[in-house]
Amino acid sequence: MEGIAIMTSGGDAAGMNPAVKCAVEYALSQGYQPYLVYNGLRGLIEDHIEKATSNAVSSIVNRGGTVLRSTRSKRFFEYEHRQKAYENLEKHGIKKLVVIGGDGSFRALNQFYTDFKVPFAGIPATIDNDIPGTDYCLGVDTALNMIRQSVDSIRDTANSFNRAFVVETMGRDCGYLAMASAVTSGAEICMVPELEYNLDSIGERLRLQIKEGRNFLIGIVAEGTGMSDYLTRWIGDNLKMDARLTILGHIQRGGSPTVRDRLMAFKFATAAVDSLQRGETCNIMVYRSGSFGTLPIQKVADTRCVVDPALIDMCRPLCK
Ligand code: F6P
């Protein structure tokens, strides 16, 4: 039986576990011997590799994070460590890889393919939703629901205590989480790297609303703007409203995967095994305009990630 290894790499995201479960079960049904790589790229180098069984992946579908654990390994960028990883795969008879992670991990595996010709299929997973070529990455829906729940709770206390709250969401360079959350949580202000903001007109708009009776405010800020502290102080100074900052942080990465994340994980995982079975070597599974497909890693690497323009338009009024 040909060996196919399944691993998670980079920042963990909800939906990774359902993807692991489905990849193992589907690979078994297609006549492969699946293996599990623990600790991401480090696990490839240090041979944290075990034969997978259906039992090993039962009861993981509802768990957040990744039971395979994950790392960001700098060592994998050195040839001698990739050579070690290759020897480990050879030892187990592993000829193909399914990697669930972000574009950094895909690029690392692409370099590995260039060196040793081990084909891989990539499944996009990051709460940032910033992998070019796909509208959806695993973990995003769960993170959005986590943010929604938090902002709903914050709204209760803000409204009760006549306060403004600035809520900082994750998203290293991408404002997707902040924009989708601002729109769906009814925020008054949104700051993201994709949109310019104008504090003068924001001030004018909100002072008018306060005059008309508004007693609380919610501002959603993407971490990538570095503006959370500043906006909190600005609200206190300029709108004369008691203001507090809540940084949601890593809470957004955890939690049981939503139904959407589980379904997307199953579809991506099946597509990944199918892609390897067709003999494709370095493809990323993508979901675009409502359909599933694949893109060569080179296309993904050469493309810039663009947030849905309709979502950006919905956010514009919150920036001025
Ligand atoms: O890429 C996912 C992400 O959660 C980003 O939103 C965030 O900037 C970063 O990872 C945090 O990284 P770390 O977990 O290493 O602190």
Side-chain angles (χ1 to χ4, degrees):
M1 262 166 128
E2 192 174 57
I4 190 167
I6 294 129
M7 62 186 287
T8 53
S9 178
D12 53 278
M16 283 181 159
N17 285 330
V20 170
K21 174 184 167 65
C22 178
V24 166
E25 290 172 351
Y26 188 60
L28 278 169
S29 78
Q30 298 302 299
Y32 290 103
Q33 171 57 60
Y35 285 81
L36 298 174
V37 180
Y38 289 87
N39 300 312
L41 296 173
R42 174 155 73 86
L44 279 183
I45 299 167
E46 296 177 8
D47 193 18
H48 303 164
I49 301 172
E50 287 173 15
K51 243 182 201 171
T53 58
S54 290
N55 272 349
V57 291
S58 72
S59 296
I60 67 167
V61 76
N62 58 324
R63 289 172 61 184
T66 163
V67 294
L68 299 185
R69 300 186 293 278
S70 191
T71 52
R72 293 188 177 111
S73 168
K74 289 208 175 79
R75 277 194 297 160
F76 202 78
F77 290 91
E78 291 160 28
Y79 182 85
E80 60 172 297
H81 294 297
R82 293 199 297 277
Q83 167 96 47
K84 187 84 195 71
Y86 176 66
E87 285 161 14
N88 291 333
L89 293 182
E90 279 285 283
K91 190 169 72 190
H92 293 286
I94 296 167
K95 303 292 178 205
K96 296 177 162 108
L97 285 168
V98 172
V99 58
I100 306 160
D103 52 353
S105 310
F106 301 156
R107 274 175 224 188
L109 268 291
N110 190 40
Q111 183 58 54
F112 192 58
Y113 177 76
T114 307
D115 296 334
F116 303 104
K117 301 288 169 279
V118 178
F120 74 96
I123 295 180
T126 166
I127 66 164
D128 291 5
N129 212 23
D130 64 349
I131 299 180
T134 184
D135 297 341
Y136 194 76
C137 302
L138 296 183
V140 171
D141 191 57
T142 307
L144 284 176
N145 277 291
M146 193 61 84
I147 299 168
R148 178 197 49 76
Q149 198 179 354
S150 308
V151 178
D152 285 352
S153 299
I154 282 172
R155 173 184 299 280
D156 291 342
T157 171
N159 196 357
S160 306
F161 217 70
N162 306 308
R163 266 182 176 155
F165 272 85
V166 172
V167 180
E168 183 184 287
T169 65
M170 274 190 165
R172 208 192 306 265
D173 306 307
C174 175
Y176 181 84
L177 285 181
M179 283 193 264
S181 301
V183 168
T184 56
S185 304
E188 281 68 42
I189 308 171
C190 180
M191 282 185 174
V192 288
E194 291 81 356
L195 279 168
E196 282 183 15
Y197 56 86
N198 182 334
L199 283 174
D200 291 337
S201 57
I202 290 176
E204 232 172 87
R205 168 167 60 91
L206 293 176
R207 266 192 289 271
L208 188 67
Q209 291 188 15
I210 291 168
K211 211 164 144 199
E212 289 169 352
R214 165 170 291 288
N215 70 318
F216 76 99
L217 277 179
I218 306 279
I220 310 266
V221 176
E223 65 169 342
T225 62
M227 284 294 289
S228 312
D229 256 327
Y230 183 84
L231 180 65
T232 311
R233 272 184 280 112
W234 181 88
I235 292 173
D237 294 344
N238 291 274
L239 302 180
K240 307 290 175 240
M241 197 181 267
D242 194 17
R244 293 284 187 277
L245 169 62
T246 300
I247 297 175
L248 295 178
H250 287 80
I251 196 167
Q252 297 159 92
R253 286 240 295 257
S256 177
T258 59
V259 169
R260 175 162 164 79
D261 267 324
R262 295 181 199 196
L263 282 172
M264 293 300 285
F266 287 169
K267 290 187 176 159
F268 277 143
T270 317
V273 175
D274 284 342
S275 165
L276 291 171
Q277 214 162 12
R278 283 195 299 270
E280 294 166 5
T281 54
C282 304
N283 272 0
I284 310 306
M285 307 305 108
V286 294
Y287 178 75
R288 283 194 300 182
S289 311
S291 317
F292 289 87
T294 60
L295 272 185
I297 175 65
Q298 218 46 60
K299 263 244 160 75
V300 172
D302 293 346
T303 316
R304 209 169 51 88
C305 171
V306 188
V307 175
D308 175 13
L311 178 61
I312 295 188
D313 282 344
M314 281 190 265
C315 267
R316 272 185 219 286
L318 306 179
C319 304
K320 57 186 183 204

